[in-house]
Amino acid sequence: MKERIEALGLSASQELNNAQSLQEIEALRVKYLGKKGELTAILKQMGSLSAEERPVMGQLANAVRAQIEEVIETRAKELKEAEIEKKLIEESIDVTMPGTPRSVGHKHPLSIVLDEVKDIFLGMGFKISTGPEIEWDEYNFEALNIPQDHPARDTQDTFYLSENKLLRSQTSPVQVRVMEQQEPPIRIIAPGRVYRSDSVDATHSPLFHQIEGLVVDKGITMGTLKGNLADFAKKLYGEDTKIRIRPHHFQFTEPSCEVDVTCFRCHGEGCPMCKGEGFIEILGAGMVHPNVLRRGGIDPEEYSGYAFGMGLERLVMFRFNIDDIRLFYENDLRFLKQF
Ligand code: PHE
């Protein structure tokens, strides 16, 4: 029996040391030390031993049990450590590997110029106002002196959401909204999206941007308008820029005009961009019509004002020499990366 116990101890140690997982160790523990295990089986035969041999075998069996238990503990510890080590290696980060480059975006050309325009007007004491893109017919037309069936509506045909709700065709309704809410003196610009049911081509888009301007105070004249816009043009296009004012017609201004600036390509000489004119049209403007002032709750006997509206896309196209308006909306990175 002595040999059997000793042999059992030996083979148990060997098998345990070869075990490759905690599950294997547990299986071996059951195999050797479990209730139905090999050591227990041997001990069951103790009855056949003599009284002298019994305690000796008992002691040996206990020693072997203790030895096996120790091997189990040591091997289990080794396996756990190996597992942690493996995990650490697998999950380690090589900080010397090149990273995935992240491309940083930048401002859209429309935003670049719009931000410049805002800065210039903020510097001239203007504030920035906004209005809704879904507008009442009342604000987009009626309050601006353009009644139903007036031919001026034809040039600003837009998208209707219902009989009296539409996508605004101009930023001018913001003039009325601001006059309703603020007392003079008023000096605001109102940039934003506008819509017209134009078909798309190189110079037309059903969605584009305008920047409205409105100044209402005592003693505002065409002279104020001319001076302010001349200042603006110089700041946007350079000190040698001149403006030219031509008579025009808008329903909500009287008198009305269009304002041109010196062509920035030929500086007034005349070139294909300005069609030989030396000037390029950038905005419509005029003195706010008394009907519009009254509609905004302002007494035209006491106050006067001027307003202007310019197309942002046009400004940007001339500025960066872009010949097709569609490029602004296509989000082609080859185009956008140039600014
Ligand atoms: N709203 C006009 C347009 O879209 C421009 C304009 C604004 C003219 C303000 C005069 C005064 O054509």
Side-chain angles (χ1 to χ4, degrees):
M1 179 173 277
K2 184 168 174 261
E3 289 77 43
R4 280 177 57 204
I5 296 177
E6 277 168 357
L8 185 137
L10 221 63
S11 73
S13 299
Q14 243 165 34
E15 283 183 48
L16 280 165
N17 282 323
N18 288 332
Q20 294 307 320
S21 70
L22 294 170
Q23 291 96 301
E24 253 180 82
I25 289 180
E26 176 57 17
L28 289 168
R29 194 189 61 76
V30 173
K31 177 180 171 194
Y32 287 106
L33 305 180
K35 266 192 197 143
K36 291 177 185 157
E38 293 184 18
L39 191 62
T40 321
I42 294 171
L43 291 177
K44 273 183 187 151
Q45 291 159 21
M46 292 276 260
S48 64
L49 296 176
S50 66
E52 296 89 67
E53 272 182 319
R54 225 177 280 161
V56 180
M57 285 306 132
Q59 228 171 23
L60 180 62
N62 278 339
V64 168
R65 171 185 289 276
Q67 185 203 322
I68 294 174
E69 275 168 354
E70 205 186 302
V71 177
I72 288 178
E73 203 178 304
T74 320
R75 185 68 188 144
K77 206 173 142 205
E78 275 172 19
L79 286 175
K80 270 186 205 154
E81 274 166 10
E83 201 171 300
I84 292 172
E85 191 70 16
K86 198 174 132 210
K87 252 196 184 158
L88 281 176
I89 289 168
E90 274 173 9
E91 290 171 10
S92 67
I93 295 167
D94 181 355
V95 292
T96 64
M97 288 244 295
T100 320
R102 281 216 214 171
S103 52
V104 179
H106 64 79
K107 280 192 215 167
H108 190 279
L110 291 174
S111 301
I112 295 175
V113 176
L114 176 58
D115 285 352
E116 270 179 43
V117 171
K118 281 186 191 167
D119 276 350
I120 293 171
F121 280 108
L122 286 172
M124 291 165 68
F126 284 64
K127 295 221 158 55
I128 293 168
S129 294
T130 53
E133 286 171 36
I134 296 175
E135 188 54 284
W136 300 109
D137 180 289
E138 165 67 21
Y139 282 97
N140 195 78
F141 292 125
E142 211 81 24
L144 292 168
N145 221 15
I146 313 173
Q148 210 82 52
D149 302 323
H150 192 282
R153 289 199 178 206
D154 292 349
T155 54
Q156 296 205 6
D157 189 19
T158 180
F159 305 95
Y160 286 79
L161 288 105
S162 68
E163 183 85 25
N164 55 2
K165 246 182 278 161
L166 45 78
L167 294 181
R168 66 178 178 188
S169 62
Q170 47 185 350
T171 42
S172 301
V174 185
Q175 286 186 36
V176 184
R177 289 178 173 275
V178 168
M179 284 189 269
E180 281 178 343
Q181 280 157 23
Q182 297 175 26
E183 299 284 316
I186 292 170
R187 295 171 89 79
I188 60 105
I189 56 162
R193 286 193 197 103
V194 298
Y195 303 82
R196 288 186 197 176
S197 73
D198 286 336
S199 16
V200 178
D201 65 25
T203 52
H204 293 87
S205 161
L207 177 160
F208 60 103
H209 298 76
Q210 284 188 336
I211 304 161
E212 193 78 10
L214 174 69
V215 170
V216 182
D217 202 348
K218 285 182 175 147
I220 300 292
T221 65
M222 276 303 269
T224 329
L225 182 159
K226 193 178 169 191
N228 285 176
L229 291 178
D231 279 352
F232 164 72
K234 281 189 178 135
K235 287 187 176 119
L236 189 66
Y237 291 122
E239 273 306 309
D240 60 345
T241 308
K242 288 193 171 62
I243 62 167
R244 184 175 77 174
I245 294 190
R246 286 175 292 104
H248 200 74
H249 172 79
F250 296 104
Q251 277 294 108
F252 37 93
T253 46
E254 180 59 35
S256 304
C257 60
E258 277 189 330
V259 177
D260 306 338
V261 294
T262 323
C263 175
F264 9 86
R265 188 186 285 166
C266 64
H267 298 277
E269 301 279 309
C271 70
M273 181 147 109
C274 56
K275 299 190 180 96
E277 283 278 303
F279 280 92
I280 282 171
E281 181 233 315
I282 60 159
L283 58 86
M287 300 305 293
V288 182
H289 196 289
N291 288 352
V292 179
L293 286 174
R294 264 191 293 271
R295 173 61 184 74
I298 290 169
D299 180 2
E301 298 298 323
E302 196 179 349
Y303 292 101
S304 57
Y306 75 77
F308 61 83
M310 53 190 148
L312 178 59
E313 276 78 355
R314 262 177 82 81
L315 290 186
V316 183
M317 286 169 84
F318 290 134
R319 169 67 172 281
F320 293 129
N321 231 324
I322 297 166
D323 58 6
D324 195 322
I325 196 170
R326 288 169 284 204
L327 290 165
F328 289 130
Y329 317 115
E330 283 168 352
N331 284 334
D332 186 333
L333 286 178
R334 288 170 302 181
F335 168 72
L336 295 175
K337 276 182 174 162
Q338 296 175 47
F339 304 95

